[in-house]
Amino acid sequence: MFSWPTNYDSCYTLAGVISREGIGLHSGEKTRVTISSYEKEGYYVSFRDKPNEIFELTQDLIGSTMLCTAVKLGGRNLYTIEHLLSAMAGCGLSYIHIEVDGKEIPLLDGSAIQWVRAFEDVGIKKAPKPNNFFQEINKSIILNKEDSVIVASPSEKITIISTISFPYKAIGNQTYVVDLNPKCFVEMIAPARTFGFKDQFQELRELGLIKGGSLENALVCDGDGWVNPPLRFDDEPIRHKILDLIGDLALVGLPKAQILVYKGSHSLNALLASSLKN
Ligand SMILES: [Zn+2]
């Protein structure tokens, strides 16, 4: 039985090669990703048709689309990278090469758990001590966007306290607190699926967006309840918000901080990521 570390004292990479195939959220087309260890710290991407062009994923390549996180690599976009990034950072993995056959990372079940299971299939091995896996901060940072706010205060361990508030009975007010480490990420955060709203879902489908979106890869809320229960946790939505936050901070390094988020979103997370980078 595979057991994940209970701290981030060491950094790891994959002990073998994994490959997963699935539908891309945007295109609805099948896309395949092959992941292995790499000699340099960080996350590196190449496309199957140009194997010698290898790009390092960095925060300044990130462009947010309305629906997912994308990076521009050598003139083309790679979509929907956020849950894979979260899986790697949350599990304490770096020194990674990702080869993509397609233009998207497959959405799989809308959470990070299938990436985690894939990592477990081949196992992990210790990697050299990284320089950028964490960000040390020496003062508190407070950022807001409309009525949402994110605060990061220096701390020895990484603690995330996140709250959401939706005017729908199915979600309502949810708060989750986690002292982050790989084991805890895998058990408490990684299985939480992305969620959306029925009206919005139909609208986006009619616009020809989210061609690959389905009841298999997102929890869909219709106000009072869920279209596709059961939930994996009663508070699955707030746990997914934390999953997204970890993915959004992965390229600048997880801050050694106590992070408090109210009404988190990718754009709020991006504000913190860019202020950590500077
Ligand atoms: Zn997400």
Side-chain angles (χ1 to χ4, degrees):
M1 178 73 185
F2 190 92
S3 69
W4 286 97
T6 52
N7 58 58
Y8 288 113
D9 290 352
S10 298
C11 178
Y12 298 87
T13 187
L14 290 179
V17 181
I18 62 168
S19 191
R20 286 292 182 277
E21 182 178 85
I23 298 295
L25 173 68
H26 274 264
S27 61
E29 286 164 17
K30 237 184 210 173
T31 160
R32 174 169 281 280
V33 167
T34 304
I35 309 175
S36 55
S37 67
Y38 194 66
E39 72 252 31
K40 290 190 217 160
E41 177 186 349
Y43 309 112
Y44 293 80
V45 170
S46 61
F47 292 96
R48 192 174 173 78
D49 57 0
K50 274 196 176 174
N52 296 326
E53 227 174 56
I54 299 177
F55 304 95
E56 182 181 3
L57 292 182
T58 54
Q59 187 63 25
D60 51 322
L61 299 174
I62 296 262
S64 250
T65 72
M66 190 167 74
L67 300 161
C68 72
T69 304
V71 277
K72 198 153 196 119
L73 303 170
R76 50 181 150 174
N77 281 318
L78 175 64
Y79 295 101
T80 329
I81 60 163
E82 59 268 39
H83 298 161
L84 174 57
L85 282 177
S86 180
M88 295 187 297
C91 288
L93 305 183
S94 179
Y95 297 84
I96 293 283
H97 177 239
I98 303 158
E99 186 198 68
V100 184
D101 190 4
K103 345 176 231 275
E104 287 187 69
I105 303 295
L107 193 59
L108 304 178
D109 68 352
S111 79
I113 197 66
Q114 293 194 10
W115 294 116
V116 171
R117 296 291 171 246
F119 304 157
E120 291 173 355
D121 279 353
V122 295
I124 58 173
K125 60 181 183 190
K126 262 195 189 170
K129 199 172 163 46
N131 294 314
N132 303 312
F133 190 80
F134 297 108
Q135 276 277 344
E136 302 278 351
I137 63 168
N138 49 26
K139 60 173 184 357
S140 293
I141 301 168
I142 304 177
L143 299 156
N144 81 295
K145 201 171 168 85
E146 292 150 8
D147 67 340
S148 67
V149 61
I150 191 161
V151 180
S153 307
S155 165
E156 259 311 295
K157 50 186 188 177
I158 303 167
T159 305
I160 301 172
I161 306 155
S162 186
T163 294
I164 46 172
S165 175
F166 280 90
Y168 306 105
K169 228 168 101 192
I171 305 176
N173 299 309
Q174 298 185 358
T175 295
Y176 197 78
V177 182
V178 62
D179 279 334
L180 203 63
N181 63 59
K183 183 174 168 32
C184 183
F185 172 80
V186 165
E187 289 171 6
M188 308 299 183
I189 306 296
R193 290 161 294 172
T194 190
F195 61 98
F197 300 93
K198 200 174 157 191
D199 306 349
Q200 182 194 33
F201 186 79
Q202 277 160 348
E203 220 171 277
L204 294 168
R205 283 303 278 271
E206 277 158 26
L207 288 169
L209 300 165
I210 60 165
K211 289 197 186 82
S214 78
L215 296 178
E216 265 74 67
N217 51 35
L219 269 173
V220 178
C221 176
D222 67 359
D224 283 349
W226 297 95
V227 178
N228 51 345
L231 270 64
R232 292 176 179 171
F233 307 99
D234 288 345
D235 53 1
E236 195 168 342
I238 186 62
R239 294 181 193 229
H240 187 81
K241 287 285 184 182
I242 295 176
L243 189 159
D244 281 338
L245 173 66
I246 295 163
D248 290 340
L249 298 177
L251 298 183
V252 293
L254 299 179
K256 290 230 171 135
Q258 193 172 52
I259 305 172
L260 179 71
V261 200
Y262 176 67
K263 291 193 179 180
S265 62
H266 285 298
S267 52
L268 184 71
N269 300 343
L271 283 182
L272 178 62
S274 38
S275 98
L276 288 171
K277 207 186 91 196
N278 297 324

